[in-house]
Amino acid sequence: MHLTNIPPAGLPSNQEQPAAPTSKKRKSWLAKELWHIRRNRELILLALPGVLFKLVIAYLPMVGLILAFKYFRYDQGIFGSKWVGLDNFEFLFKAQDAFRIIRNTLLYNISYILLTMAVSLLLALLLNELTSKLIKVYQTTLFLPYFISMVLVGYIGNAFLDFQNGYLNTVLEFFGAKGHNWYLETTPWIFILPLVALWKGVGFSTLVYFAGITGISTDYYEAARLDGASRVQMMTRITLPLLKPLVIILFILGLGNIFRGDFGLHYFVPNNVGPNFPTTDIIDTYVYRALTKLGDINSAAAVGFLQSVVGLVTVVTANLIVRRVDKDSALF
């Protein structure tokens, strides 16, 4: 008796065996997102005020960017005004002082970035050598100017630079030197503005670098001590190389504002005095005066749009260069 043609028990002889059960269908993209939202709903609720603030303050006003390409009239509104293409962008480049304000903006921003980065790195390294009690004192002292309004900084600067009662002229006259009318001179502002920018912003950058230092594993330093390394050698051979990605990221982010000057610093500290414009005037202050005197909203919008585009191109270009040199240190 041949058993080869006898079908297995429980299966009909004239039907094929059923196929293996298929795998579960993958969840759709929307289902996955909803699952993540439910799982992280507490964190989303905490972030919601900040997201709404950013949406209202930063993103909704971006609709006004179309003013850069229109001849705005109040009676016609933003969307009803006439399109003029790139005519509004001629305001900056055809201005009589175009070269001067663009040069000042770029050179000042480069000096601010490099000076703040160098000094804040040095201060962060020095903070790392202090005891825990002294660190809190120095952190508060360095970080406090960051929260001071530029209007108040302008008054503080006036207390030092006033021709009759300023502290600087009082000290100079005490030593027999002649006082200066600082607000009517051009050369001193090349040094005054970077010093004020350093005093106000170095605390924030120092704390960022110091946070990066505290995140470095202590195993590296313990191994270096066993090998007889000095503190200076540990700084140069361990701390600085491990901080390199953070330094590069902050440098790239700083380049994003290289075409956008610090309006408060260049307007309130020099007191917006005409004789010092050759060394204090930047794009932002120039456009502000044009906006307040001429009411040219179109050109102001065009310059703001141009500054944002240049900042984006600068950040992307710098990041591409970093990616080619060291991919791990790139921002994105």
Side-chain angles (χ1 to χ4, degrees), residues 3-303:
L3 302 177
T4 54
N5 295 328
I6 299 175
L11 291 177
S13 58
N14 297 327
Q15 296 182 5
E16 296 181 358
Q17 297 184 12
T22 57
S23 59
K24 294 182 179 180
K25 294 181 179 180
R26 294 182 178 178
K27 293 181 178 180
S28 65
W29 175 84
L30 181 59
K32 289 182 179 180
E33 292 300 320
L34 290 175
W35 179 79
H36 282 296
I37 291 174
R38 286 196 300 268
R39 184 182 180 185
N40 302 291
R41 55 184 178 273
E42 294 87 358
L43 296 177
I44 293 174
L45 286 175
L46 288 173
L48 189 60
V51 173
L52 292 176
F53 176 81
K54 198 70 175 178
L55 179 65
V56 173
I57 299 299
Y59 287 97
L60 290 182
M62 290 181 70
V63 177
L65 288 176
I66 62 175
L67 287 175
F69 308 96
K70 287 194 169 191
Y71 179 74
F72 177 70
R73 288 181 52 178
Y74 290 96
D75 58 337
Q76 296 179 351
I78 295 178
F79 300 102
S81 298
K82 179 183 176 182
W83 289 93
V84 294
L86 301 177
D87 292 349
N88 293 327
F89 292 87
E90 297 177 358
F91 163 78
L92 178 62
F93 298 101
K94 287 188 175 180
Q96 182 179 2
D97 304 315
F99 173 75
R100 185 195 72 193
I101 59 178
I102 294 175
R103 177 203 63 192
N104 289 351
T105 303
L106 295 176
L107 292 180
Y108 273 122
N109 283 333
I110 291 173
S111 67
Y112 297 159
I113 293 171
L114 296 179
L115 185 63
T116 302
M117 182 175 64
V119 175
S120 57
L121 263 175
L122 177 61
L123 291 175
L125 292 172
L126 294 176
L127 282 177
N128 194 43
E129 302 298 322
L130 299 176
T131 60
S132 58
K133 293 183 179 180
L134 290 176
I135 286 177
K136 295 179 180 180
V137 175
Y138 283 106
Q139 280 180 339
T140 304
T141 305
L142 288 172
F143 201 45
L144 185 61
Y146 182 78
F147 295 101
I148 299 178
S149 168
M150 270 300 175
V151 178
L152 182 57
V153 173
Y155 282 107
I156 296 173
N158 185 66
F160 280 89
L161 303 175
D162 185 71
F163 177 69
Q164 295 180 344
N165 303 313
Y167 297 139
L168 280 180
N169 283 346
T170 302
V171 173
L172 289 175
E173 292 171 359
F174 177 79
F175 288 101
K178 185 179 179 181
H180 290 264
N181 197 342
W182 304 98
Y183 291 104
L184 300 180
E185 300 180 15
T186 57
T187 304
W189 292 99
I190 300 175
F191 307 98
I192 294 173
L193 290 174
L195 287 176
V196 174
L198 178 66
W199 169 76
K200 193 173 188 306
V202 71
F204 178 79
S205 299
T206 299
L207 291 184
V208 172
Y209 289 130
F210 181 69
I213 292 175
T214 56
I216 299 175
S217 175
T218 57
D219 295 339
Y220 295 108
Y221 298 104
E222 292 175 0
R225 290 191 189 95
L226 293 176
D227 291 337
S230 63
R231 290 184 177 272
V232 176
Q233 288 175 327
M234 286 189 286
M235 287 182 186
T236 56
R237 302 294 178 85
I238 299 176
T239 307
L240 290 178
L242 292 177
L243 280 181
K244 184 180 71 171
L246 180 60
V247 174
I248 293 175
I249 289 174
L250 292 181
F251 179 74
I252 294 175
L253 293 177
L255 289 178
N257 291 321
I258 196 169
F259 206 62
R260 188 186 303 277
D262 189 336
F263 172 80
L265 173 64
H266 287 261
Y267 184 83
F268 292 109
V269 176
N271 263 354
N272 194 34
V273 178
N276 58 35
F277 281 168
T279 53
T280 63
D281 207 14
I282 57 174
I283 295 175
D284 300 74
T285 54
Y286 184 84
V287 172
Y288 174 77
R289 287 198 305 274
L291 180 62
T292 54
K293 293 179 180 179
L294 304 177
D296 193 353
I297 298 177
N298 313 300
S299 299
V303 172

